[in-house]
């Protein structure tokens, strides 16, 4: 399965990135590149919609933490929503669900509320 990252504006309240496919050692660089680009462009609030993410290994987890650290360095944040199945389980077991304020419901990219 391929991995894709698409994004939408959140009515001036950050970006919603939709991750589709498998996030692993071979694809985490693509997510890191997209996060780097958005932060370099001044984006500080990133919401990652994991509804269609089917797999996430330790390099994917590292990409989430790295993205949050990058955004937080300038007063922002990275949040996760919508994971299911194995991806949800990985977030719970690793404790990342608490650290990144994970919410199981899918994202509404138009929402201005901070997750």
């Amino acid at each position: 399965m391929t991995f894709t990252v698409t994004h939408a504006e959140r009515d001036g309240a950050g970006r919603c990135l939709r991750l589709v496919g498998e996030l692993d050692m071979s694809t985490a660089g693509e997510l890191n590149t997209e996060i780097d680009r958005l932060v370099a462009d001044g984006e500080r609030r990133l919401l990652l919609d994991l509804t269609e993410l089917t797999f996430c290994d330790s390099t994917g987890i590292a990409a989430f933490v790295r993205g949050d650290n990058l955004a937080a360095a300038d007063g922002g944040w990275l949040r996760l929503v919508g994971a299911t199945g194995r991806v949800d389980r990985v977030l719970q077991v690793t404790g990342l669900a608490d650290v990144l304020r994970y919410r199981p419901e899918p994202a509404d990219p138009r929402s201005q509320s901070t997750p």
Side-chain angles (χ1 to χ4, degrees), residues 35 63-73 76-79 99-100:
I35 290 171
F64 296 152
V65 172
R66 179 185 173 280
D68 184 53
N69 289 338
L70 194 61
W77 44 256
L78 181 143
R79 299 290 181 256
V99 172
L100 295 182

Side-chain angles (χ1 to χ4, degrees), residues 53-68:
L53 192 66
T54 58
F55 178 81
C56 181
D57 71 4
S58 61
T59 55
I61 295 297
F64 296 152
V65 172
R66 179 185 173 280
D68 184 53

